[in-house]
Amino acid sequence: MKYLAASVLLQVGLTLAFSLPNIARLSRREVVEDKGDHILICRQEPLELGIVLDSSSSLRNRDFKTAIKFLQEFLSQYEISSDPNGVRVSIISYGKGIYPEIGFNLTTYDTKDEVIEAIGRIPHKAGLRTDTGRAIQYMHEAQLANGVVRPGVTKVSIVITDGNSQEWKLTKEAAEEARKDNIVMFAIGVGTDIRNSELLNIAGDQSRVTKVDNYNQLSSIKESLAHQTCFVQEKTTTTPVPMDEPCGVSDPADIFFVFSPANLGSDGTLWATSFIGLTVDTEDLNQGFRYGVLSGSCPDDAGFNLDAYSTVEGIKNRLESYERNKVQELVKTLADDGFTTARGARANSRKIAVIIAAGKKTSELQDEVAALVAQNIQVFVADPADKGLTLEGATILSGRSSKLQAEAFVSALCPKRS
């Protein structure tokens, strides 16, 4: 084995080895790319990573949740540990001032799972200012201070913001001081309101500035931010054949099934439970998958007592609630907070929603499906009547029985590999 070259790849917007199609991921610490005449091996370096997160009122709560999800997925690429060669993470959020009580420092957590779960608990404070400079100061002087970081380990800070700081001079000065102390600063600007000059003041170099139009686009840059050391290795005469493994091991997924018994009726509900049972009992899906169900069963469906209403209008209003299709309400719940750590979702897994519904689509249901798709959640539709219920952005499962549609769903999740 002979190493011909080595270089550190940490450039926002740079296409890293593992973003290319012909990659074999060996572990969380090593990625191999076959370049034809040589092999590129990327190994993660030790790193002290300080995240500075905007939590001001200019963000909608849904956008803040998207930023949190991005951070969880981004950090899942790292080997986070207290090991001398591991990555350590700190985070400070800010708005009107800084919020150290809801952040954490490099030594607070020792494992990746702990860090990802802690980030998921960070609330949106909706501060009425954008005190980016104070947050950078805190990151530099408290979280990535010389007495805290490991000697000789690379220090990196990533600032995510969608607004311009009121004290732009303080922001510029704080970032300059951090860079003088060998902290590599990256600035991610979200939306059209933030000025490029603000981001450049933070990063110090345009190559470390990234702008995206909205928070949903953050996921497109997570791999290009990963900190890797890459080596070129001469190619041997033989290439090992990769071993087959269950698709859930190489590509895990979190799956929510959504259905309303009130919408489906008793026969349709039996069909739905059969479909779900057949799916989860499939051998291909017995590793790497997690399952959840959102159904329309609730106390409002149970009827009411003799003395519940004293007017005809009250009774009619209650009866109208039985007629309302609750599927779109359930899908909205899934879009708002379904795939969260509190509900068992994992940051590095595919997110999949299976809507089991009958009848015609409504504009409300289509809007909620669009909200799922905007969050990179893959949507499938299973129709017990198999009458072609279509929703834009969703994959429609076909088949006259729950068994056939379950088989179609499993085939879509785990295509047969030749």
Side-chain angles (χ1 to χ4, degrees), residues 255-260 264 266-283 285 290-294 352-358 378-386 395-413:
I255 303 173
F256 258 109
F257 299 93
V258 182
F259 67 94
S260 169
L264 295 177
S266 59
D267 289 342
T269 300
L270 288 173
W271 190 99
T273 56
S274 172
F275 170 86
I276 296 170
L278 289 166
T279 299
V280 302
D281 197 37
T282 303
E283 183 176 353
L285 272 61
R290 286 187 180 179
Y291 304 99
V293 171
L294 284 177
I352 296 171
V354 183
I355 301 171
I356 306 173
Q378 191 175 4
V379 181
F380 290 83
V381 174
D383 181 0
D386 194 30
T395 299
I396 310 303
L397 301 173
S398 61
R400 292 294 297 174
S401 67
S402 58
K403 182 176 184 295
L404 290 175
Q405 292 198 32
E407 289 174 351
F409 178 51
V410 172
S411 295
L413 290 181

Side-chain angles (χ1 to χ4, degrees), residues 5 22 55 76 96 122 169 195 222 259 340 353 356 365 396:
N22 55 335
S55 186
S76 70
K96 186 177 182 180
I122 295 175
K169 289 184 178 179
R195 294 187 294 268
K222 65 178 182 290
F259 67 94
T340 61
I356 306 173
L365 180 56
I396 310 303

Side-chain angles (χ1 to χ4, degrees), residues 325-333 362 364-365 368:
N325 190 333
K326 294 182 172 60
V327 175
Q328 58 260 29
E329 298 175 11
L330 295 169
V331 177
K332 183 179 188 303
T333 298
T362 63
E364 293 84 359
L365 180 56
E368 298 306 331

Side-chain angles (χ1 to χ4, degrees), residues 341-358:
T341 54
R343 289 184 181 267
R346 297 162 293 178
N348 60 339
S349 298
R350 287 183 291 165
K351 305 298 183 283
I352 296 171
V354 183
I355 301 171
I356 306 173

Side-chain angles (χ1 to χ4, degrees), residues 221-256:
I221 66 171
K222 65 178 182 290
E223 290 184 344
S224 65
L225 282 171
H227 190 229
Q228 305 278 323
T229 300
C230 294
F231 303 90
V232 177
Q233 175 188 322
E234 287 183 340
K235 193 171 183 180
T236 58
T237 55
T238 59
T239 302
V241 178
M243 296 178 62
D244 286 337
E245 59 183 5
C247 70
V249 174
S250 58
D251 198 9
D254 297 330
I255 303 173
F256 258 109

Side-chain angles (χ1 to χ4, degrees), residues 123-336:
H124 181 207
K125 299 289 283 187
L128 297 179
R129 283 173 56 87
T130 306
D131 286 328
T132 311
R134 291 186 60 189
I136 293 173
Q137 277 183 332
Y138 183 83
M139 174 276 299
H140 172 208
E141 297 173 3
Q143 295 181 314
L144 266 62
N146 287 330
V148 177
V149 299
R150 293 164 291 180
V153 173
T154 301
K155 298 178 291 184
V156 172
S157 179
I158 299 172
V159 181
I160 303 175
T161 181
D162 74 342
N164 301 300
S165 52
Q166 282 80 15
E167 298 181 73
W168 67 269
K169 289 184 178 179
L170 174 61
T171 299
K172 181 179 181 181
E173 291 168 1
E176 286 176 347
E177 290 301 313
R179 295 197 303 271
K180 287 178 183 177
D181 209 5
N182 296 317
I183 298 176
V184 183
M185 299 292 297
F186 287 84
I188 301 176
V190 184
T192 57
D193 293 336
I194 188 165
R195 294 187 294 268
N196 188 72
S197 59
E198 172 94 355
L199 301 174
L200 188 57
N201 283 341
I202 294 170
D205 190 296
Q206 191 63 44
S207 66
R208 295 192 296 272
V209 170
T210 293
K211 290 190 72 174
V212 293
D213 292 336
N214 55 64
Y215 278 88
N216 288 326
Q217 291 183 1
L218 284 174
S219 61
S220 66
I221 66 171
K222 65 178 182 290
E223 290 184 344
S224 65
L225 282 171
H227 190 229
Q228 305 278 323
T229 300
C230 294
F231 303 90
V232 177
Q233 175 188 322
E234 287 183 340
K235 193 171 183 180
T236 58
T237 55
T238 59
T239 302
V241 178
M243 296 178 62
D244 286 337
E245 59 183 5
C247 70
V249 174
S250 58
D251 198 9
D254 297 330
I255 303 173
F256 258 109
F257 299 93
V258 182
F259 67 94
S260 169
N263 167 249
L264 295 177
S266 59
D267 289 342
T269 300
L270 288 173
W271 190 99
T273 56
S274 172
F275 170 86
I276 296 170
L278 289 166
T279 299
V280 302
D281 197 37
T282 303
E283 183 176 353
D284 285 344
L285 272 61
N286 63 8
Q287 293 185 56
F289 289 86
R290 286 187 180 179
Y291 304 99
V293 171
L294 284 177
S295 73
S297 299
C298 64
D300 286 345
D301 295 333
F304 50 88
N305 293 328
L306 295 170
D307 57 352
Y309 298 100
S310 59
T311 66
V312 172
E313 183 180 2
I315 294 174
K316 286 184 175 180
N317 288 338
R318 180 60 178 271
L319 292 174
E320 286 178 0
S321 72
Y322 297 150
E323 300 171 1
R324 188 171 65 248
N325 190 333
K326 294 182 172 60
V327 175
Q328 58 260 29
E329 298 175 11
L330 295 169
V331 177
K332 183 179 188 303
T333 298
L334 188 62
D336 288 344

